[in-house]
Amino acid sequence: MTKLVIRVDDIHPRMKWATFMRFVEGLSRRGLTATLGVIPECMDAQLCHDAPRKEFWDTIRQLSTEGWIVAQHGYRHVYDISHANYLGIRNRSEFAGHPLDIQAERLAAGAEILLAEGLRSDVFMAPWHTFDNTTLKALERTGFRYVTDGYGFWPYSEGELIMVPQLFARPHGWRLGVYTSCIHLDGMSDVEIERMVGGLQRFEVVSLYEAAKLPRPLTMSVLSRHATKTAILARRLVRDQIKKLRAAVQPTR
């Protein structure tokens, strides 16, 4: 049976707090939890909507005790490089393209901030889904064990890390393997949140840790990784070609 993992990106003290709490309350009423991508020190102005919430860290600590998984969502969520990356879906990154030492330093700095707040995470969630093979080495060096990204419909190993693939932005009727739904709450209305949370009753929701322990059908897992990689890269190629064509036919002023 298909398993669904819920991950929520861009969790930090200046996010849309009321929206976040509405989502948390909706899941909690149904006995569900999610993986929360906490930005240790958010410096991304586009994500800052409210004044800093004094209760933010207390709330995250409480959710952690209730089974919600805290993932380290990068370091500052500010991209400073464009570089080819593991998934090949975009180039901007806080990590991919930087040397191993710099990536490891950023991971360690983020982890130190979380530890100071009483939170220890072994799960990495890359900003913009961009990381490279050097990032994976840096993650191993700094004690991470799980990555909430990858190709395919089943968790798989990359060295000492377990990749739990994320391919879809919303839960839907996909009936194969294990997949992760990636949710960005800031752009969702109250109605959209209620509809999405209510629709989760159609799925078997599991935590990222539970998903990582599930049996992996080796042949199907490898095939699905190749298939999704091909599809993602083909989609990117088509998208880039469409952009070039549109730019070529734009009327000059």
Side-chain angles (χ1 to χ4, degrees), residues 92-243:
R92 64 185 184 182
S93 184
E94 186 177 34
F95 291 91
H98 283 297
L100 177 62
D101 286 347
I102 290 179
Q103 296 202 42
E105 286 173 5
R106 291 182 178 183
L107 290 169
E112 185 175 348
I113 291 170
L114 294 183
L115 279 172
E117 297 294 344
L119 298 165
R120 181 185 298 274
S121 177
D122 57 0
V123 181
F124 178 67
M125 182 186 293
W128 305 285
H129 307 273
T130 51
F131 58 97
D132 57 14
N133 288 325
T134 302
T135 314
L136 301 182
K137 294 177 183 177
L139 289 167
E140 290 181 350
R141 176 189 286 190
T142 48
F144 287 84
R145 294 189 59 204
Y146 304 91
V147 177
T148 66
D149 259 316
Y151 296 117
F153 299 108
W154 285 273
Y156 61 96
S157 298
E158 282 279 15
E160 297 177 7
L161 298 168
I162 297 177
M163 316 290 289
V164 181
Q166 188 280 309
L167 299 173
F168 304 105
R170 290 286 189 274
H172 57 73
W174 188 264
R175 298 301 180 200
L176 178 66
V178 180
Y179 77 89
T180 301
S181 180
C182 174
I183 298 170
H184 292 81
L185 293 171
D186 282 351
M188 297 182 68
S189 67
D190 293 352
V191 172
E192 288 173 327
I193 289 176
E194 188 62 31
R195 184 183 301 122
M196 186 269 292
V197 171
L200 292 175
Q201 62 187 357
R202 300 183 291 116
F203 301 90
E204 183 176 355
V205 178
V206 298
S207 74
L208 181 141
Y209 289 149
E210 290 173 322
K213 294 177 182 179
L214 292 171
R216 309 173 202 172
L218 182 58
T219 301
M220 285 296 294
S221 180
V222 172
L223 288 174
S224 71
R225 293 208 301 272
H226 285 297
T228 53
K229 178 179 181 179
T230 300
I232 287 170
L233 296 181
R235 180 179 180 274
R236 183 183 180 194
L237 178 62
V238 170
R239 182 193 62 196
D240 291 346
Q241 290 300 317
I242 291 174
K243 285 182 179 179

Side-chain angles (χ1 to χ4, degrees), residues 240-252:
D240 291 346
Q241 290 300 317
I242 291 174
K243 285 182 179 179
K244 289 179 181 179
L245 289 171
R246 286 177 176 172
V249 301
Q250 283 288 337
T252 57

Side-chain angles (χ1 to χ4, degrees), residues 71-85:
Q72 183 174 321
H73 192 24
Y75 173 33
R76 291 178 167 170
H77 208 282
V78 176
Y79 68 88
D80 57 0
I81 194 169
S82 293
H83 195 272
N85 56 81

Side-chain angles (χ1 to χ4, degrees), residues 12-21 49-61 117:
H12 64 99
R14 295 192 61 190
M15 64 182 172
K16 292 183 179 179
W17 186 253
T19 302
F20 173 68
M21 291 307 300
H49 303 283
D50 292 353
R53 302 296 299 201
K54 294 180 180 179
E55 65 268 42
F56 174 79
W57 292 109
D58 284 339
T59 300
I60 299 302
R61 282 189 289 269
E117 297 294 344

